[in-house]
Amino acid sequence: MMLDQLKETIKTALPELDFVMGWTTGYDPLHATPLYMYEPDDVDQLIWGPLNVHNLAVHLPALRHKKVGIVVKGCDSRSVVELLQENLIDRENVVIFGAPCNGVVDMTKIRKAVPDAHFARSVETADNSLTITTDKDTHTLSLAEVMADKCTRCRFPNAVEADHFVGEKRIPAVETDPYADLESFESQGFAERRDFWMAEMDRCIRCYACRNACPLCVCRDHCVAQSREPHWVSQRDGVRDKFMFQVIHAIHMAGRCTECGECERACPMDIPVLLLKRKLGNVIHDLFDYDAGLDAEARPPLLAFKLEEDSIKEKDW
Amino acid sequence: MAKYLKNDDLGQWLAELGTEYKIHAPVQEGRSIAFRPLTQDKILRIDRHATIGPKEILFPACEELMHFSYEKDTDNPGREKIRVQPADNAVPTLIFGSRPCDARGFDVFDGAFTQCAVKDNYYAARREQAVVVSIACTRTENTCFCNWVGGSPDGTNGSDVLLTPIQDGFVVQPVTEKGETLLQKGSLLTGAAPDQVREAEQLRAAACASLPEAPDFKCMPEQLYNLFDNMDFWEKQSAKCISCGACTYLCPTCHCFNITDERNGNEGERLRSWDNCMSRQFTQEASGHNPRPEKAYRLKNRVGHKFCYFPDLHEGHIACVGCGRCIKSCPVSLDIRQVVTSAKECHLPAEETDNE
């Protein structure tokens, strides 16, 4: 079985490493949580499946002084690649364990389908479904119904970079990113779009979970949002200031964001902030024909300077 | 004496109270539930725990403490005069639909803001004018642990009135004098029948019984002081933490704040906004030194404050109400119950005794 193989591979590599990061069952059967495997016994707690929502690459830059292993889904591996590209981690200090991913769940969709999800007593996962038993009843959901949107358009279910790949590689269901969600949002008028963002951002509590969950938000401790000198963003809690931060965040991610969706998943107030990054990802794709996090040797377009970009004909203006 | 309110009359009851109080209640907002001023267009959601509790009503995420302006001193052109206008925003407020854990959070705020050597006038003024109407929990979530920290699904600390949802309505019980006064208002409350009171009691008892057994945390202050320098313990506990502030901002008891002057030209406001111990700036000193340089130190501070330093200062009261939001909304599902339990069970090397 693939999970057993993965466990064996990790156990074999563990003596050379400080620890390996993976996932285990969290505070209830519906929630996985990151697992740090220091000893072979810890590896037995490892789980693999649709509940492993977290992108563990977020921890790598702070662990640069250690030699660590990381278990990745395809999307997580793109964050690792992006970190390598930006020289924020060292390839020789990271051992990447990959396995084929069938997609992960979106807890917001689960809560919508099963409002009683916070009373889950047991969860069984099969290839294409999820059965949640609460204190009152049992619900079987198809995985397609509750899968994170990023998984429905996933082009890289297998790690794009791995030292150890366990299991049979999956064939991606789509070849190019379908930006239908973005098109549908943008078909609305300006006022509607503005009202949407004002209403959504209004409940932001400025906790910065979106920022801290982002594997590529690496200024973290010296963030523009909290810096006093210079004082770029005010501490007022009006929707304008909250939105201002999201825009700064999104622009800093342009051409670097792999759309892993951790910003949106981490938001305790369920604000759909990934949409902003999708927009910029789409612009970068159109302008530079570039997708982030696929090639460790490539340079993100906004981190490079070319006198004239192939698709931006300044001299023709 | 217990009263009864029909489900169908709830809206009307709140509308009547709304003539006297500004009512804040949990409403659906996008994909979350938050406490907002209750208006006709809002959908009241009291069937489950709100995503964020009512703490910001009495302790706003950001509030203006004063407005200031500079102007030239005409008698002495080399100097500027500063005019300061303190803010006073307290109005009669009714907090409707908090849970017993949420309301108990106000008890912790009272300890910190009104019962210490320095009284916080801004908080005190709002607290004075607030009436808290809570709803007892008849079903407990996986993240609920109010009974571990001295509360219960039908606890009344911090509330003025307690509602218990029964078939077709609520049993309404006053807790404080403020609550008694509130229940004399409005025309829709009737006396509760004995079988309605009994039904409410049974539902509350069942909710209390459904919670897992509570560990004894009396030893926690001592145990946490013993663990203070054990950074190996704190590094392992905090390994998966991403050092965001979601847990602190959603916490009904976290009350640390920051003060910033926001000035535009000659005018500005002094703001107080929520701070959080997960943030690097929390204890960053002007010298550049930071006594809590990494997330392990920060998590130690958060757990220490709730289960050690605060109880030490406030007669053993734990500064956690067990609402579970820090667990439920944590991006990595870090479970404070597990951290505290691990701290409790952590066997420290026995101190060497000098037998000579």
Side-chain angles (χ1 to χ4, degrees):
Chain A
M1 200 190 143
M2 193 221 79
L3 179 60
D4 292 331
Q5 246 181 303
L6 182 60
K7 286 180 182 172
E8 276 318 304
T9 314
I10 294 171
K11 281 184 186 176
T12 312
L14 200 53
E16 307 293 320
L17 301 168
D18 285 305
F19 53 79
V20 177
M21 295 182 282
W23 303 266
T24 190
T25 302
Y27 65 83
D28 76 4
L30 193 54
H31 292 82
T33 189
L35 169 72
Y36 281 63
M37 296 167 269
Y38 301 91
E39 309 290 338
D41 280 357
D42 300 331
V43 183
D44 295 328
Q45 297 173 49
L46 182 73
I47 60 169
W48 179 265
L51 302 179
N52 294 2
V53 292
H54 323 78
N55 180 353
L56 304 169
V58 68
H59 297 287
L60 286 177
L63 298 170
R64 209 167 178 170
H65 56 293
K66 293 190 184 308
K67 195 164 166 70
V68 300
I70 180 170
V71 188
V72 294
K73 307 182 290 286
C75 53
D76 308 336
S77 75
R78 291 180 64 191
S79 303
V80 178
V81 167
E82 189 65 34
L83 290 168
L84 287 168
Q85 272 179 278
E86 298 185 32
N87 195 25
L88 293 161
I89 55 173
D90 306 304
R91 186 67 187 89
E92 64 275 17
N93 280 343
V94 180
V95 175
I96 306 166
F97 300 88
C101 175
N102 286 318
V104 295
V105 298
D106 177 338
M107 282 301 160
T108 303
K109 287 187 187 175
I110 289 191
R111 281 198 298 274
K112 202 170 167 198
V114 184
D116 283 350
H118 287 302
F119 306 91
R121 291 289 180 266
S122 70
V123 174
E124 277 175 49
T125 54
D127 277 350
N128 298 311
S129 70
L130 193 71
T131 302
I132 303 171
T133 305
T134 69
D135 56 346
K136 290 203 171 147
D137 38 30
T138 296
H139 308 258
T140 298
L141 308 168
S142 76
L143 195 51
E145 181 189 349
V146 292
M147 196 181 268
D149 287 340
K150 66 169 179 179
C151 305
T152 62
R153 52 181 180 245
C154 176
R155 290 173 290 153
F156 306 96
N158 313 301
V160 296
E161 173 130 353
D163 298 292
H164 304 279
F165 192 88
V166 174
E168 200 124 328
K169 291 205 169 166
R170 274 195 64 215
I171 299 162
V174 289
E175 280 180 3
T176 51
D177 191 339
Y179 279 104
D181 55 329
L182 197 61
E183 276 164 28
S184 131
F185 181 75
E186 292 193 313
S187 68
Q188 303 175 91
F190 174 78
E192 283 166 295
R193 283 178 284 152
R194 183 198 52 212
D195 291 350
F196 171 83
W197 282 116
M198 294 302 124
E200 291 290 329
M201 289 308 301
D202 189 40
R203 65 177 185 278
C204 164
I205 54 173
R206 294 190 77 165
C207 70
Y208 298 119
C210 52
R211 175 191 73 189
N212 287 44
C214 174
L216 295 164
C217 220
V218 286
C219 310
R220 217 159 293 159
D221 284 347
H222 305 277
C223 177
V224 67
Q226 288 162 304
S227 145
R228 290 281 188 96
E229 295 279 348
H231 196 53
W232 294 114
V233 181
S234 98
Q235 293 306 301
R236 295 183 186 98
D237 71 343
V239 64
R240 289 166 66 97
D241 291 83
K242 295 167 178 178
F243 196 51
M244 173 78 171
F245 169 72
Q246 281 306 328
V247 171
I248 295 172
H249 181 39
I251 288 176
H252 281 180
M253 288 300 130
R256 306 169 59 229
C257 175
T258 61
E259 296 171 29
C260 72
E262 283 291 88
C263 49
E264 182 164 317
R265 187 191 66 79
C267 177
M269 302 308 289
D270 249 332
I271 303 171
V273 289
L274 178 60
L275 191 59
L276 292 168
K277 283 97 186 180
R278 295 265 298 151
K279 170 65 188 169
L280 288 166
N282 186 214
V283 170
I284 294 289
H285 184 84
D286 285 353
L287 267 183
F288 301 104
D289 189 23
Y290 179 84
D291 291 309
L294 295 181
D295 174 5
E297 301 300 318
R299 184 173 282 259
L302 297 191
L303 297 187
F305 176 74
K306 268 164 109 178
L307 205 53
E308 184 157 4
E309 289 291 344
D310 299 337
S311 49
I312 308 174
K313 301 290 180 200
E314 280 184 89
K315 286 176 188 158
D316 299 345
W317 287 354
Chain B
M1 214 204 76
K3 306 223 172 181
Y4 174 71
L5 176 70
K6 280 191 284 189
N7 270 339
D8 292 346
D9 289 344
L10 176 62
Q12 185 56 33
W13 186 55
L14 289 173
E16 284 178 9
L17 294 172
T19 58
E20 203 171 325
Y21 299 92
K22 186 170 185 186
I23 298 181
H24 292 257
V27 298
Q28 187 75 44
E29 197 168 274
R31 302 187 289 200
S32 327
I33 302 173
F35 282 77
R36 297 286 182 251
L38 196 59
T39 48
Q40 288 288 328
D41 57 325
K42 302 271 168 67
I43 303 162
L44 187 67
R45 287 296 304 274
I46 50 171
D47 55 327
R48 59 190 60 250
H49 285 212
T51 315
I52 182 165
K55 87 167 173 182
E56 63 184 309
I57 302 163
L58 300 189
F59 176 54
C62 178
E63 68 176 310
E64 186 182 311
L65 300 178
M66 61 179 77
H67 188 90
F68 57 82
S69 55
Y70 290 84
E71 57 188 66
K72 275 267 186 264
D73 185 342
T74 43
D75 297 335
N76 185 352
R79 300 190 64 141
E80 280 183 318
K81 279 193 207 165
I82 303 175
R83 255 179 226 282
V84 171
Q85 182 75 44
D88 175 15
N89 303 319
V91 293
T93 300
L94 180 87
I95 299 174
F96 177 79
S98 49
R99 295 288 170 173
C101 51
D102 295 332
R104 204 157 163 260
F106 295 136
D107 254 8
V108 175
F109 284 1
D110 291 347
F113 289 143
T114 66
Q115 289 153 16
C116 284
V118 178
K119 186 169 151 185
D120 186 282
N121 291 331
Y122 296 91
Y123 173 81
R126 277 189 293 263
R127 180 70 164 126
E128 185 65 38
Q129 297 211 49
V131 189
V132 181
V133 179
S134 297
I135 300 177
C137 296
T138 49
R139 196 173 170 205
T140 56
E141 295 190 9
N142 288 345
T143 42
C144 290
F145 64 106
C146 56
N147 62 329
W148 289 32
V149 287
S152 74
D154 60 348
T156 54
N157 290 43
S159 299
D160 297 301
V161 173
L162 185 72
L163 267 58
T164 308
I166 58 168
Q167 194 80 32
D168 304 327
F170 302 91
V171 168
V172 184
Q173 287 161 309
V175 176
T176 62
E177 263 179 48
K178 248 190 211 175
E180 294 268 10
T181 314
L182 184 87
L183 297 190
Q184 283 158 14
K185 293 168 192 163
S187 55
L188 296 158
L189 297 171
T190 56
D195 59 331
Q196 288 172 325
V197 175
R198 211 172 312 118
E199 184 188 345
E201 280 167 0
Q202 281 166 358
L203 284 164
R204 296 201 305 250
C208 294
S210 73
L211 283 166
E213 202 187 329
D216 185 354
F217 282 154
K218 277 199 190 67
C219 62
M220 282 324 291
E222 194 192 349
Q223 187 72 1
L224 286 166
Y225 280 129
N226 289 338
L227 275 169
F228 193 84
D229 290 319
N230 189 338
M231 288 320 291
D232 185 48
F233 174 82
W234 292 107
E235 268 160 31
K236 285 205 169 140
Q237 295 300 325
S238 66
K240 63 187 170 189
C241 171
I242 56 170
S243 225
C244 71
C247 53
T248 63
Y249 287 180
L250 297 176
C251 175
T253 74
C254 273
H255 53 268
C256 285
F257 58 79
N258 199 352
I259 291 180
T260 334
D261 283 354
E262 300 289 351
R263 185 178 164 179
N264 286 324
N266 286 331
E267 296 214 26
E269 312 95 55
R270 174 155 297 174
L271 301 179
R272 163 158 78 177
S273 40
W274 289 351
D275 199 353
N276 84 83
C277 55
M278 300 290 116
S279 154
R280 178 187 166 90
Q281 284 93 338
F282 184 67
T283 47
Q284 176 79 55
E285 294 173 9
S287 66
H289 171 67
N290 193 334
R292 299 185 181 90
E294 285 159 27
K295 63 184 180 183
Y297 294 82
R298 299 176 202 160
L299 184 70
K300 176 174 77 172
N301 182 76
R302 179 169 152 78
V303 175
H305 194 176
K306 298 202 175 304
F307 291 86
C308 176
Y309 324 138
F310 192 93
D312 239 10
L313 286 170
H314 298 274
E315 296 164 354
H317 291 171
I318 295 171
C320 165
V321 291
C323 74
R325 287 190 186 91
C326 62
I327 307 167
K328 184 160 69 174
S329 291
C330 173
V332 298
S333 296
L334 202 152
D335 188 343
I336 194 167
R337 291 171 297 193
Q338 183 257 312
V339 178
V340 181
T341 311
S342 303
K344 189 184 175 202
E345 288 164 3
C346 184
H347 293 291
L348 301 158
E351 273 183 49
E352 284 177 32
T353 47
D354 193 351
N355 291 327
E356 285 174 34

